[in-house]
Amino acid sequence: MSVSPGPTLPPDVIARTLIEGPFESPVIWQLLLVAAAIAAYLLFRPLTRRRRNRIRSRQPLANRLVIVGALLGLAGAFWLNNYVGYVRTTHDLAQLLQRSTGYTEAAGDGLADITAAQDDYVNAAAAALANAKNAGKATPGSVADNTPQVLQVPIADPARGVPIGKANVMLPPGYYDPANAHTRYPVVYLLHGYPEGSPDDWFTSGDALNTMEALLADHVVQPMIVVAPDMTAEQSSIDWECLNIPGGPQLEDYLVDTVVPTIDHQFRTLADRQHRSLGGMSGGGFCTLNIGLQHLSTFSSLLISLPYDDLGDSAGILAGHPNLVIANDPRLYIPKMAFPQPISVLIAAGESAPTDVATAHRLTNALLARNQHVALVLQPGMTHTWRAARAALPYMLAYANQVFGRPPSQSPGKPNTLPAGPPAIASGPSYQAVPPPNTKTTTHGGGSHTTPHKGPGRHGLAARRV
């Protein structure tokens, strides 16, 4: 079986995902760096004794160091954000601050209130939809009728170690319109990365709302529900990898046995395997691979961005349970596992992230060897960042849509009604199991690992986000 090139997207959809938000502009960190240099010159330049004593009396050395250090720190933070693409807008910043406590959380609440009219779509959409639902109708032209809407739904399961649980649920346009009262929709589940991930990430850094609007406007996908669950067990600093932790949260079971049934119960879904897809980025991509392969009866397609195919350093969370490490290492179990039902997998990786490219090739080879359907999307100029995940999202959703609309025995092919996009995907009549360049093979943790000379890992700054 050969690797598929994946969906072909309209150029305007691709261009939309590459637009930088105002906080991603390199001008910000450059201006801050200049300001730090000017401040350092003014505060520390050689002066006459009288002038120097006057400045020192007004600005002690500690204060001057704080001023320059703060400007340099801000410059570094904005440089990193420019590279990673995590905080794009004031709405993104408000969401990030609201995750904290005390004054920082209050600042986030205030910023969200200030920007609500422009981009705090989560709260605005929830209110509009609640009003429309209470009235029993959505008026033509209303916010609830014309655009996808995002609701925040609590899905707690204390018995599985998830005391609160929050899922962002994006509903298609017209979901509450009486004309669609009997319409059911396929569902895509999107998982955040680790650590410090959040169910908000796909709707801030990932720009899922605008991406879906663009895909629907160009008739690339059918109306669908998108769900981003909270897989942190209210402890976002821990790299859980969506695992069932002995003595801890049972996150794999929480997703499959709590989140999915709850969404099927509360919303009009097509509650079958064929119309259910699981996706994620980075650590969430590993969750997608591991959970999806172990629950073939639940999901028909897997959407993996910034791929990992083993636990890596995260195996430590299962310390003392080597059997569980092996059972949750797809690189080890894929060659031997049974596939009672076929699975379709899209793998997206930035061409400038050697580790991700090596993993994508290795994972593609392993799945093709088991006669499973694989699409490989290699993104020029992208690395292991939210920029790459955001650019991969339309491919992921379009691929899921193809699987939703075909018989289970057929592999997804290119849509024949879409205009051709730029050659951002790898294709060919066959796929040879050849390791990518600039890699070497080492052995650790019971498996053979192909790694590059350099590149951000699962726990690097780019992988962890800002």
Side-chain angles (χ1 to χ4, degrees):
M1 182 178 290
S2 62
V3 65
S4 163
T8 300
L9 299 178
D12 67 293
V13 172
I14 297 173
R16 176 66 186 81
T17 66
L18 301 178
I19 296 175
E20 291 185 353
F23 285 176
E24 294 179 285
S25 172
V27 174
I28 300 177
W29 70 262
Q30 292 169 357
L31 288 176
L32 285 168
L33 196 60
V34 170
I38 293 174
Y41 174 74
L42 294 177
L43 294 173
F44 294 97
R45 63 176 175 169
L47 300 171
T48 63
R49 177 178 299 177
R50 181 178 178 183
R51 176 69 173 166
R52 186 166 56 249
N53 290 339
R54 186 185 308 167
I55 290 179
R56 287 178 177 176
S57 64
R58 293 179 181 176
Q59 294 290 345
L61 177 62
N63 289 357
R64 287 179 282 157
L65 289 174
V66 167
I67 292 171
V68 175
L71 289 171
L72 288 174
L74 286 172
F78 276 99
W79 172 85
L80 185 60
N81 187 64
N82 170 243
Y83 173 73
V84 175
Y86 183 58
V87 178
R88 302 168 305 123
T89 67
T90 51
H91 168 259
D92 294 1
L93 180 59
Q95 291 282 331
L96 180 63
L97 295 177
Q98 284 176 318
R99 296 183 204 169
S100 187
T101 58
Y103 291 114
T104 303
E105 183 183 16
D109 292 339
L111 185 60
D113 291 338
I114 294 172
T115 62
Q118 297 180 1
D119 60 6
D120 192 12
Y121 56 81
V122 174
N123 294 330
L129 285 173
N131 292 335
K133 188 175 182 181
N134 291 336
K137 63 180 181 179
T139 59
S142 71
V143 66
D145 186 54
N146 288 340
T147 62
Q149 304 299 322
V150 181
L151 299 178
Q152 291 185 347
V153 179
I155 306 179
D157 190 347
R160 290 191 167 100
V162 182
I164 301 176
K166 180 189 74 172
N168 287 326
V169 180
M170 181 164 63
L171 301 175
Y175 180 87
Y176 287 115
D177 190 325
N180 299 322
H182 301 290
T183 303
R184 293 187 172 273
Y185 303 91
V187 186
V188 174
Y189 292 85
L190 294 177
L191 305 181
H192 55 73
Y194 285 100
E196 302 299 342
S198 164
D200 296 330
D201 288 348
W202 277 109
F203 294 96
T204 53
S205 312
D207 202 26
L209 185 77
N210 290 316
T211 296
M212 179 60 76
E213 284 187 324
L215 291 171
L216 289 170
D218 283 350
H219 306 288
V220 177
V221 301
Q222 62 186 296
M224 62 180 68
I225 296 171
V226 176
V227 180
D230 187 347
M231 302 298 291
T232 68
E234 281 68 63
Q235 299 179 72
S236 61
S237 63
I238 300 179
D239 197 355
W240 296 117
E241 299 295 324
C242 302
L243 297 170
N244 287 339
I245 307 298
Q250 307 296 292
L251 290 171
E252 177 183 336
D253 292 346
Y254 169 71
L255 176 64
V256 176
D257 298 327
T258 302
V259 174
V260 171
T262 299
I263 296 299
D264 287 340
H265 176 72
Q266 293 191 17
F267 299 94
R268 298 193 309 275
T269 68
L270 290 166
D272 57 53
R273 174 185 189 270
Q274 177 69 44
H275 297 95
R276 196 182 289 127
S277 182
L278 180 63
M281 61 82 66
S282 190
F286 172 83
C287 295
T288 296
L289 179 65
N290 188 40
I291 293 178
L293 292 180
Q294 302 205 42
H295 296 273
L296 295 174
S297 62
T298 303
F299 305 101
S300 63
S301 61
L302 308 179
L303 318 168
I304 302 170
S305 175
L306 320 184
Y308 290 109
D309 61 351
D310 72 346
L311 284 170
D313 295 339
S314 301
I317 203 168
L318 295 174
H321 301 272
N323 58 319
L324 293 181
V325 174
I326 295 173
N328 288 282
D329 190 330
R331 195 188 303 189
L332 296 179
Y333 66 66
I334 288 177
K336 298 176 286 187
M337 71 174 287
F339 285 87
Q341 294 170 293
I343 193 73
S344 298
V345 183
L346 179 135
I347 305 169
E351 287 186 342
S352 297
T355 299
D356 289 2
V357 172
T359 302
H361 282 280
R362 183 174 57 243
L363 183 55
T364 297
N365 289 328
L367 291 168
L368 289 178
R370 303 310 312 277
N371 294 316
Q372 301 308 301
H373 309 131
V374 184
L376 178 61
V377 177
L378 298 179
Q379 303 164 273
M382 294 292 177
T383 56
H384 193 101
T385 66
W386 265 106
R387 286 184 181 276
R390 184 161 69 236
L393 182 58
Y395 290 101
M396 297 161 67
L397 296 175
Y399 184 82
N401 183 74
Q402 291 180 7
V403 178
F404 293 153
R406 66 175 173 82
S409 61
Q410 296 180 4
S411 62
K414 289 185 180 180
N416 54 22
T417 58
L418 300 178
I425 47 183
S427 61
S430 62
Y431 192 84
Q432 300 296 323
V434 178
N438 299 323
T439 62
K440 61 181 180 178
T441 300
T442 58
T443 301
H444 63 86
S448 175
H449 296 244
T450 305
T451 55
H453 294 310
K454 295 181 179 180
R458 188 191 310 249
H459 303 287
L461 282 175
R464 291 183 60 183
R465 307 187 285 101
V466 179

